[in-house]
Amino acid sequence: MIVALLFESSVVYSLIIIPDKQTVHLSNNISSSTILNVHCKSADNDLGPQTVHFDQDYNFSFHANIRLTTLFWCNVDWKGATGNVRNSKAFDIYSTKICWIKYSDCRWYASTDGLYFFDNEKNALLFKFGWDH
């Protein structure tokens, strides 16, 4: 289902189309022996800790709010090959600024050097964040 909203700003009207549901994906592309630990939240929802094995995808779906201010953030971490170094990052995984609302899928990929975002308009992976150590 698609909902169309008409916003009035003085004399100018604009049409925003909001997909029925938004889905966020985070894929573990680090290495075959690496487990990605993920914990995502919004102001209203705590999705709980998740483990994502190599070549697997963690995803969740939701309805964006009418004001288009929905925000989800995640804490992500994994241990390096030696097991001593923990790589981590806290980042915003979903907002209408990050995941353009006209696409119902928002895709992220975890790699050895950091997190990549799939840009639907450019049809390309874009490096966004390096790991904090």
Side-chain angles (χ1 to χ4, degrees), residues 45-109:
N45 298 293
D46 182 338
L47 303 179
Q50 309 291 323
T51 55
V52 185
H53 295 272
F54 176 70
D55 211 22
Q56 286 188 342
D57 178 89
Y58 167 62
N59 62 75
F60 57 94
S61 297
F62 58 93
H63 294 276
N65 67 32
I66 196 89
R67 295 170 300 169
L68 305 179
T69 58
T70 301
L71 174 67
F72 277 92
W73 63 91
C74 297
N75 293 308
V76 179
D77 69 67
W78 59 283
K79 287 186 181 177
T82 62
N84 297 333
V85 178
R86 181 170 292 279
N87 301 282
S88 64
K89 188 67 183 175
F91 69 106
D92 292 346
I93 197 167
Y94 178 87
S95 76
T96 54
K97 291 179 184 176
I98 297 166
C99 298
W100 180 235
I101 197 79
K102 70 181 178 181
Y103 298 109
S104 59
D105 279 340
C106 180
R107 296 187 177 275
W108 290 86
Y109 297 87

Side-chain angles (χ1 to χ4, degrees), residues 22 28 39 47 67 76 126:
Q22 299 286 291
N28 179 352
H39 192 161
L47 303 179
R67 295 170 300 169
V76 179
L126 305 176

Side-chain angles (χ1 to χ4, degrees), residues 1 19 27 33 36 42 46 57 75 79 81 92 103 121 124 128:
M1 180 174 117
S27 297
S33 62
L36 193 63
S42 74
D46 182 338
D57 178 89
N75 293 308
K79 287 186 181 177
D92 292 346
Y103 298 109
E121 291 182 346
K128 289 294 186 180

